[in-house]
Amino acid sequence: MITERHAFAALARHGQRPALIGPDDVLTYADVAERVAAARDVLTTDKRLVVVAGTNSAESLIAYTSAMAHGHAVLLVPAGSSAHLASIVDAYDPDVVFDPATGDGFVERRAGTRHDLHPDLALLMSTSGSTGSAKLVRLSHDNVVSNARGIADYLDIAEDDRALTTLPMHYCYGLSVVNSHLLTGAGLVVTDWSVVDDCLWDLAASAEATSFAGVPYTFDLLDSIDFFERDLPSLRHITQAGGRLAPDRIAAYVDLGLQRGWRFFAMYGQTEATARMAYLPPELAQVRPEALGVPVPGGSFRLETVPELAGTGVGELVYAGPNVMMGYATTIGDLAAGPQLAELHTGDLARRHDDGSYELVGRRSRLAKVFGLRIDLDELERLLLDQGVSAWCVSVSDRLQVFVDWHTDAAQVRTVLARCCGLPEHVVTVGRLRDRPLTANGKTDYPSLERQARLLGRSSSRRRERPSAEGVRAEDIRDLYAELLARPDATPDDSFTSLRGDSLSYVELSVRLGELGVRLPSDWQRHRMRDLVTSSRVRPTWGVRLEMSVLLRAVAILLILGTHANVWTAPGGAHVLLAVVGYNFARFQLTDRSRVDRVRASAGSLVRLALPCIVWIGAVAVVAGTYRPQTALFLNGLTGSDQWTVQWQFWFLEAILWIQVAAVTLLAVPLLHRAERRAPFGFAKTVLVVALVLRFALTGVEAGPTERYTPSIVLWCFALGWALAQAHSGWQRLAVSATALVGVIGFFGDPEREAVVITGILLLAWVPAVRLPKWGARAAGVVAAASLYIYLTQWQIYPHLEDRIPLLAVATSIAGAMAYQLAWERGVSRCRRLFRRSGAAEGLAASRVYAPTA
């Protein structure tokens, strides 16, 4: 039998069996063994410390396998973050570094090694409880190989199995999939595509994948795309770990698997135990889906008494087995230490049932003492979830902070929680989140929630301090993003687009960043926060820098409203707004997300655009009889008169809706999606040229009285903004500007109107921002954020005052629009709550969720 120490060096024995299967090629075990042997020239025979930046690619997998096969100590880190890699290199001074981003292969930093490395040390990984920390778990060859073989044993992995790499290899769970398959002679279907990407499942079908692994968030994504309706006849088993999955979902997946011919295994583990400590066989899951399961082969559990829980039957879960880590490392000197642990105190709280099975009930660190009561935060979350409320709980400064999703009634939850926990309401705070923050391992990011709780605590008592004379810190910008986007997981390495900000939050955030003194580049929404720090400076003595697209939204809607209300005559603002809409479409919808994510995000944005308009226009149609049903459904351009009537009043809304529907549909085609990703400006310029050809083909030089308001004919205005957003060089902006002149001149037959449109487009192209007084920037931001509602509601407000007090007509129209905007947003929240499970408050109040005090 091949020993643990030589397991990775013996991969050649699997010969011509497929080892790494990619979209374009297949590497056999013989191919992998040949590349492993070739790496000896760099890795040498002396034990060295080798950093491998891991991606789900054949190159990274072979680099990891090579270093393990040649007996080195491998420090595995995530690829893609040069800052994190640099911090690890600074902390541990490796002898060799493999970073796939450079394409240089293994890079020696010195000959030989300057480190004292323990002979058993094989692998170093970040701990389960840390992200980006220099604290590492030390694992031996015995740890790695014994756990891989145990997993292969209970999953019955055979040579003809092929696992999808649906989890990152630098994550212990993802690496356990790699190890358990490679050491068994099974294959890996290598990909870094998301589980919501159709390409992944096309590859799975063609490669005849037999399994994949996921964390709870993975299954949330799969449920959202109806994955389990797919036909994957080769699938044999699905595994889940990385956090608690609700028992009813486990039972449902187990039952579904039995119907479809595959088996579902829920598993439990930590990096400190190499990967897996327990698994729940499908047969047991049918009876006890809430159970932890049984220990992996060679492992065992026991409970250790926790003083504050004495007499409750709950204790800390302690694990023993050959996969228990050697110990932790926080400095280079720790790498010389031998095994220091005989068993692992997991930090998890569990109870043992009479049949010998264990059930997790929480984390020892998740017991909080608030107002003299000991609160089990995990149990509180489970109780809320059972009542139909998704919530995440933390405790900060003797205060219970609960986060709920964006549409939950926070006030009601606060009252109910105070009652069910026996706490006064003033020590319970409920905040709302757009998305649950996750760690790189797919678990709830509680440190981020605690940071957000502290931020909310500061914000509720006082305004955030202004930046110091030394300038803006990355943390100042991070706090602003976290507050305005409701994203406590935001880090200085995130950007506005990576956090999925929308055009409304964009307006407020750009104004607030200007107030901080940050000079925003034209594409700031794609920049990391820490990169924006380099653009900041000491707060200027006058004014706030406001981005041009925001200013144009405000000025254009005021030009439209003022012209309609007879304050001034300056038509053309709506066509400028069309270009701004195209500009923002490219910036906020055409991000680096997958095709499916793009379509989903765009569809949500279009629904948010259409619904308040349909309700308003429909209500006016019913009450006053002003509009036809076709107008409320944005069909006037197809069914209306070719002469101007009141039905044409909403042409702008109809145009931006149908143009974006067409653009999203176009980019939903895989071939066109890939083309746009490869050449964003070239694709946008092509759309612009096609739109202009269409405009001239349908209208000639001058458009007719209603033609200039028809979606197919004004598409070129939207395409101009799209192209400007993707124009990142002077010649590109110049090309788009010249094209704008071709499209605008003669279009209206009105030089003044054409001058307004050309001026707006040229400002968007060449003036990134302007400096305004603080009050002016704030006012412009408010008007810009309400521009959709101002355009929508103006027709029913300004006519009552335009002949007597035109300025009051404008002011009243703006106030009325903001009132409808506020009423709509509150109404939507209330309607969504009607679909929540009834009786949640009563069910919550009936339970007390605190542990006995010590």
Side-chain angles (χ1 to χ4, degrees):
M1 179 178 177
I2 296 172
T3 65
E4 280 77 356
R5 191 175 298 277
H6 300 98
F8 284 90
L11 297 181
R13 65 194 174 98
H14 300 297
Q16 296 304 312
R17 298 202 62 81
L20 307 179
I21 305 163
D24 303 315
D25 58 356
V26 176
L27 294 178
T28 66
Y29 275 91
D31 296 329
V32 172
E34 182 180 343
R35 299 191 185 191
V36 168
R40 182 179 294 276
D41 294 339
V42 176
L43 296 177
T44 70
T45 57
D46 297 327
K47 191 178 188 74
R48 306 167 83 186
L49 181 59
V50 180
V51 165
V52 174
T55 62
N56 286 0
S57 66
E59 292 75 18
S60 287
L61 288 168
I62 290 172
Y64 162 74
T65 304
S66 298
M68 293 290 285
H70 292 304
H72 299 288
V74 180
L75 201 171
L76 194 58
V77 300
S81 173
S82 56
H84 178 50
L85 178 59
S87 69
I88 288 293
V89 170
D90 289 342
Y92 286 95
D93 190 23
D95 305 307
V96 182
V97 175
F98 176 87
D99 181 4
T102 67
D104 295 332
F106 287 108
V107 175
E108 291 187 280
R109 302 180 72 234
R110 65 181 61 87
T113 183
R114 64 174 56 170
H115 304 304
D116 184 7
L117 304 173
H118 192 277
D120 292 340
L121 182 61
L123 183 63
L124 295 155
M125 301 187 75
S126 291
T127 67
S128 290
S130 66
T131 302
S133 168
K135 183 179 182 180
L136 304 175
V137 168
R138 295 182 292 116
L139 300 171
S140 68
H141 287 276
D142 288 351
N143 292 153
V144 174
V145 177
S146 66
N147 200 228
R149 286 177 174 162
I151 294 169
D153 183 13
Y154 69 74
L155 291 180
D156 193 24
I157 297 174
E159 287 187 338
D160 59 349
D161 276 310
R162 297 177 176 185
L164 281 168
T165 57
T166 47
L167 296 172
M169 67 171 293
H170 63 80
Y171 169 36
C172 73
Y173 182 17
L175 189 63
S176 74
V177 175
V178 171
N179 292 334
S180 59
H181 283 71
L182 290 183
L183 297 183
T184 310
L188 294 170
V189 182
V190 182
T191 174
D192 62 355
W193 287 326
S194 166
V195 294
V196 298
D197 198 322
D198 290 337
C199 297
L200 174 70
W201 303 111
D202 292 341
L203 174 62
S206 64
E208 298 183 331
T210 60
S211 69
F212 69 87
V215 297
Y217 183 60
T218 306
F219 293 93
D220 292 340
L221 294 175
L222 292 175
D223 287 344
S224 73
I225 62 171
D226 296 324
F227 163 78
F228 292 102
E229 299 301 320
R230 286 181 177 270
D231 182 25
L232 291 173
S234 61
L235 192 62
R236 288 186 57 232
H237 63 258
I238 298 174
T239 65
Q240 177 271 322
R244 181 181 184 271
L245 196 64
D248 59 338
R249 295 184 70 187
I250 291 176
Y253 292 138
V254 168
D255 290 342
L256 182 61
L258 292 175
Q259 297 170 23
R260 300 289 182 82
W262 42 264
R263 307 181 79 202
F264 182 86
F265 290 84
M267 305 190 299
Y268 166 72
Q270 292 180 359
T271 310
E272 287 82 346
T274 307
R276 308 273 64 79
M277 289 183 279
Y279 68 100
L280 183 61
E283 299 76 16
L284 180 57
Q286 288 182 294
V287 181
R288 299 191 66 91
E290 76 283 359
L292 185 68
V294 298
V296 299
S300 63
F301 288 118
R302 69 177 180 86
L303 290 182
E304 184 167 288
T305 301
V306 176
E308 55 265 39
L309 297 176
T312 65
V314 174
E316 182 179 5
L317 191 65
V318 180
Y319 174 80
N323 51 317
V324 172
M325 67 176 177
M326 299 173 69
Y328 290 114
T330 56
T331 66
I332 297 174
D334 295 330
L335 305 185
Q340 297 171 322
L341 299 174
E343 55 184 10
L344 176 66
H345 286 70
T346 66
D348 288 322
L349 299 175
R351 62 169 58 94
R352 187 177 188 274
H353 293 289
D354 293 339
D355 61 3
S357 64
Y358 289 86
E359 178 188 354
L360 290 183
V361 299
R363 287 285 295 171
R364 188 167 184 174
S365 60
R366 298 272 292 147
L367 291 176
K369 201 164 188 178
V370 180
F371 213 69
L373 293 176
R374 193 168 296 279
I375 307 294
D376 186 336
L377 300 176
D378 288 323
E379 182 63 25
L380 181 57
E381 289 184 6
R382 280 193 290 273
L383 177 67
L384 289 164
L385 186 61
D386 289 342
Q387 302 302 325
V389 178
S390 296
W392 306 279
C393 307
V394 294
S395 174
V396 175
S397 301
D398 201 32
R399 178 167 53 90
L400 177 61
Q401 172 74 57
V402 180
F403 292 95
V404 295
D405 66 44
W406 195 248
H407 304 294
T408 298
D409 187 336
Q412 181 187 21
V413 171
R414 178 172 179 262
T415 300
V416 170
L417 283 175
R419 190 160 65 247
C420 75
C421 294
L423 294 171
E425 285 196 25
H426 73 269
V427 300
V428 179
T429 306
V430 180
R432 296 189 294 177
L433 299 175
R434 295 188 185 277
D435 295 292
R436 172 170 64 108
L438 300 174
T439 66
N441 297 347
K443 300 179 181 179
T444 300
D445 188 352
Y446 286 108
S448 289
L449 290 178
E450 291 173 358
R451 186 168 60 239
Q452 183 79 346
R454 294 187 182 95
L455 176 63
L456 292 174
R458 293 200 304 269
S459 298
S460 64
S461 60
R462 59 178 173 82
R463 292 291 296 173
R464 181 174 290 102
E465 294 179 359
R466 293 184 176 185
S468 65
E470 287 74 24
V472 183
R473 303 171 303 159
E475 290 74 17
D476 297 324
I477 299 177
R478 191 218 73 86
D479 286 351
L480 196 57
Y481 276 61
E483 177 185 354
L484 297 184
L485 301 183
R487 290 294 301 266
D489 54 330
T491 71
D493 289 316
D494 286 321
S495 67
F496 181 83
T497 53
S498 73
L499 294 173
R500 303 190 179 188
D502 57 26
S503 59
L504 293 180
S505 54
Y506 173 86
V507 171
E508 184 175 5
L509 187 56
S510 63
V511 172
R512 294 282 293 276
L513 286 171
E515 292 176 0
L516 279 178
V518 178
R519 185 180 180 86
L520 298 176
S522 60
D523 60 344
W524 68 267
Q525 74 279 0
R526 298 178 186 270
H527 287 236
R528 298 182 309 163
M529 295 178 220
R530 69 171 71 255
D531 295 334
L532 295 179
V533 174
T534 62
S535 302
S536 66
R537 59 194 185 285
V538 177
R539 190 179 179 85
T541 57
W542 180 86
V544 172
R545 197 170 185 270
L546 184 68
E547 190 177 337
M548 180 54 65
S549 68
V550 176
L551 181 61
L552 284 177
R553 282 175 67 172
V555 171
I557 195 62
L558 290 177
L559 288 179
I560 294 168
L561 180 57
T563 298
H564 291 167
N566 297 322
V567 176
W568 47 65
T569 302
H575 290 78
V576 174
L577 270 183
L578 268 174
V580 174
V581 171
Y583 186 77
N584 288 335
F585 173 81
R587 295 201 296 174
F588 303 133
Q589 304 302 332
L590 305 186
T591 62
D592 293 334
R593 288 176 281 183
S594 70
R595 179 174 59 89
V596 173
D597 276 352
R598 276 187 175 186
V599 172
R600 185 181 294 112
S602 298
S605 177
L606 290 172
V607 169
R608 291 190 294 273
L609 163 67
L611 282 182
C613 300
I614 292 172
V615 170
W616 178 271
I617 300 170
V620 174
V622 170
V623 173
T626 309
Y627 305 115
R628 302 182 304 147
Q630 295 93 323
T631 301
L633 296 175
F634 303 109
L635 296 173
N636 181 67
L638 291 176
T639 64
S641 169
D642 59 359
Q643 299 297 316
W644 179 269
T645 69
V646 293
Q647 309 302 326
W648 281 96
Q649 288 176 344
F650 302 104
W651 73 266
F652 171 75
L653 302 176
E654 186 172 327
I656 63 174
L657 176 70
W658 291 118
I659 288 173
Q660 289 184 86
V661 167
V664 172
T665 303
L666 184 77
L667 293 172
V669 178
L671 179 65
L672 297 177
H673 169 78
R674 291 192 292 270
E676 193 279 332
R677 290 287 290 268
R678 283 195 298 268
F681 177 73
F683 189 91
K685 192 67 192 308
T686 301
V687 172
L688 175 56
V689 171
V690 171
L692 278 175
V693 169
L694 183 65
R695 165 249 195 276
F696 283 107
L698 293 176
T699 67
V701 175
E702 182 178 348
T706 58
E707 287 179 334
R708 67 190 61 163
Y709 307 126
T710 304
S712 59
I713 295 175
V714 297
L715 170 62
W716 63 274
C717 294
F718 178 90
L720 271 172
W722 181 349
L724 282 175
Q726 306 293 22
H728 301 303
S729 66
W731 74 265
Q732 290 175 336
R733 289 193 297 274
L734 186 62
V736 178
S737 301
T739 308
L741 295 176
V742 172
V744 174
I745 294 176
F747 182 70
F748 299 101
D750 179 352
E752 292 183 0
R753 190 171 194 172
E754 290 163 4
V756 169
V757 176
I758 289 173
T759 300
I761 291 172
L762 292 180
L763 286 172
L764 189 62
W766 296 100
V767 182
V770 296
R771 185 163 293 284
L772 295 177
K774 181 177 178 179
W775 63 266
R778 274 296 176 93
V782 170
V783 172
S787 56
L788 168 69
Y789 293 88
I790 294 172
Y791 188 93
L792 173 66
T793 61
Q794 60 172 321
W795 311 100
Q796 280 66 56
I797 301 176
Y798 78 79
H800 301 289
L801 293 168
E802 61 175 322
D803 293 331
R804 291 174 294 167
I805 315 176
L807 283 176
L808 183 59
V810 170
T812 305
S813 296
I814 295 174
M818 292 179 179
Y820 177 59
Q821 180 181 17
L822 179 62
W824 174 261
E825 291 172 352
R826 290 184 175 178
V828 167
S829 295
R830 289 178 181 175
C831 288
R832 281 173 170 155
R833 288 198 298 273
L834 292 177
F835 292 97
R836 298 284 177 185
R837 187 176 303 175
S838 62
E842 291 77 5
L844 285 172
S847 301
R848 290 276 177 136
V849 193
Y850 58 87
T853 54

